[in-house]
Amino acid sequence: MVANESFTVDELVQTPWLPWERVAPETNVVRSARGVEVLGYDVSSALLRNTDFSTGLLELFDHSGVDDATFRDLVESSVNYAEGAAHTRLRAAIGSFFTPARVAAMRADVRADIEAALDDIGDAAEVELVGQLIRDVPAGVFARLLGVDPIAHGDFISRISEESVRVFEMDPTLGEHVTLAWTELTNWVDDLIAIHTPGTPDSNVIDHLLAQQAAGNVTANDIRSALVTLLAASTDTTQILAALMFWSFAANPDQWQRLREHPELASSAVTESARYRPGDAWIFRVATVDTHIDNVPVHAGDHVFALIGAAHRDQRVFTSPDQFDIGRSERMPLNWGVGRHFCMGRMFAVMELEELLLATSQRWERIEHQDPAAAAAAPYLSVQQQLPLRVHRAAASVPA
């Protein structure tokens, strides 16, 4: 079923699941001034798998007012944009680094970083969770993946990721800002490659890519493109998801207690947090041919948006979708995409979020918003910058 536009982009950013308050529950597609909006979970999942739609990264630069040929060339040749045989080659070469074994090997270091940050917080009753805990975790992970010092480079990695991904806002007024961010990002990667001392193959992502180059699987430009695009996406989304996850627990104390009593639910708690309050309202795609979505005609060049915030509240797929339930065992959230462009770093992000939950739930008996009314009224993505919580330290640690 197709409906006419019944919500604005600003409304979607603030309340990603809003469409279900404005359209019939069987609606899958909504036309808007910016293109085609896809609401239903199954239709959104099918869209993200459909090879008739590109990731639209070049169009993102166009709409953000960025016309630097260097960035366009890097993006166009990246695994995030390539299709067909080129994508298969790059995905195999780069993705072979991001393995479950590597995630498992890094877990102890991540937990140690989190515990150290919690030691610094100590017995404080009021905590600004983003600055005091969350921001450093994904930056530290990516620094280790690059083989660089997390303390020396963590702040830069976090900042440049946050600034670079603003290209996804498709805001032409940000053209200069995005251009400067991508210039700084690209220069840093070039310097990193220039000073890198080759080590054991697979000891870090740079050495892995160099080994792939020696095997004839990637070129020097592929390595540069991979590092730039990986760094751009390295920390921002995980940081936002972490903050939104704790926001949800602060608003649902029964689920925090459930997690403390059943730490084995940490994995499903991360999945449910990503479903309940996703870090992105939509995933962007561009039609490459004339086709259909749910029997609705779509023309080549049309902009299409998988509204994952709405898809995650689709009552045809999720029971009581507006309820935060960390024991939920239904479909996987679409935050990291599906199909050929599924996020290669997802396993690392999930591990980081699990360790954040396990460490904090052992130390804190209860968490709550310092000002619940202000938290409820604040812009949805304000948690990217700060999340003021009141924490109640447990008398004794809950056994792991």
Side-chain angles (χ1 to χ4, degrees), residues 30-342:
V30 174
R31 294 193 180 279
S32 71
R34 66 175 184 167
V36 180
E37 319 277 352
V38 181
L39 283 67
Y41 180 95
D42 288 332
V43 180
S44 292
S45 180
L47 164 65
L48 297 176
R49 296 177 188 276
N50 194 327
T51 56
D52 288 339
F53 297 86
S54 81
T55 56
L57 296 181
L58 291 182
E59 286 81 0
L60 288 174
F61 279 91
D62 290 339
H63 282 267
S64 298
V66 178
D67 56 7
D68 190 300
T70 300
F71 307 145
R72 295 179 63 86
D73 290 345
L74 282 172
V75 167
E76 191 169 15
S77 62
S78 73
V79 66
N80 296 29
Y81 187 80
E83 297 288 358
H87 177 267
T88 301
R89 174 180 63 83
L90 291 168
R91 184 84 183 189
I94 301 168
S96 55
F97 178 80
F98 297 92
T99 63
R102 198 175 301 279
V103 173
M106 189 174 286
R107 189 179 285 270
D109 287 337
V110 171
R111 182 59 174 266
D113 289 346
I114 294 170
E115 296 289 358
L118 290 173
D119 287 343
D120 289 341
I121 291 172
D123 294 329
E126 294 190 345
V127 178
E128 195 293 285
L129 207 64
V130 173
Q132 293 183 260
L133 176 62
I134 290 173
R135 180 172 282 118
D136 289 342
V137 175
V141 167
F142 197 74
R144 288 190 173 92
L145 292 176
L146 285 174
V148 301
D149 181 6
I151 296 176
H153 299 282
D155 286 345
F156 172 81
I157 290 171
S158 179
R159 176 181 63 79
I160 205 63
S161 175
E162 184 176 320
E163 294 180 359
S164 298
V165 296
R166 296 201 70 183
V167 68
F168 286 91
E169 297 178 31
M170 300 176 71
D171 182 350
T173 67
L174 293 175
E176 182 177 358
H177 178 90
V178 172
T179 298
L180 289 173
W182 277 76
T183 299
E184 188 177 6
L185 166 61
T186 305
N187 289 341
W188 191 81
V189 166
D190 288 341
D191 290 342
L192 186 64
I193 294 172
I195 66 174
H196 181 73
T197 301
T200 305
D202 278 359
S203 61
N204 55 64
V205 70
I206 302 177
D207 285 326
H208 172 84
L209 291 173
L210 290 174
Q212 291 291 317
Q213 182 183 21
N217 297 325
V218 297
T219 66
N221 184 68
D222 290 334
I223 294 175
R224 185 173 186 243
S225 174
L227 292 175
V228 167
T229 52
L230 284 171
L231 181 53
S234 62
T235 68
D236 182 74
T237 53
T238 304
Q239 178 181 314
I240 294 173
L241 277 175
L244 289 169
M245 176 176 72
F246 281 101
W247 192 104
S248 297
F249 273 107
N252 295 272
D254 61 317
Q255 296 302 298
W256 184 257
Q257 184 60 33
R258 188 181 181 189
L259 175 65
R260 281 177 47 79
E261 294 172 358
H262 299 281
E264 69 275 8
L265 290 177
S267 181
S268 63
V270 168
T271 300
E272 173 65 351
S273 297
R275 181 202 70 86
Y276 187 68
R277 292 182 77 86
D280 298 296
W282 60 77
I283 297 177
F284 180 59
R285 290 291 184 265
V286 176
T288 59
V289 297
D290 291 343
T291 184
H292 292 78
I293 299 178
D294 199 42
N295 297 318
V296 175
V298 178
H299 303 291
D302 279 355
H303 291 181
V304 184
F305 302 82
L307 304 184
I308 62 173
H312 291 174
R313 302 290 181 107
D314 188 341
Q315 64 184 8
R316 294 165 294 186
V317 173
F318 299 101
T319 303
S320 303
D322 294 330
Q323 179 180 342
F324 182 57
D325 175 9
I326 66 170
R328 190 183 295 276
S329 59
E330 293 162 317
R331 310 278 193 89
M332 292 296 292
L334 300 176
N335 306 60
W336 295 280
V338 292
R340 66 200 186 282
H341 288 294
F342 183 77

Side-chain angles (χ1 to χ4, degrees), residues 1-21:
M1 177 178 179
V2 63
N4 292 323
E5 180 178 12
S6 53
F7 45 82
T8 67
V9 171
D10 287 344
E11 287 178 320
L12 274 178
V13 171
Q14 178 60 23
T15 312
W17 48 89
L18 177 71
W20 296 124
E21 299 177 11

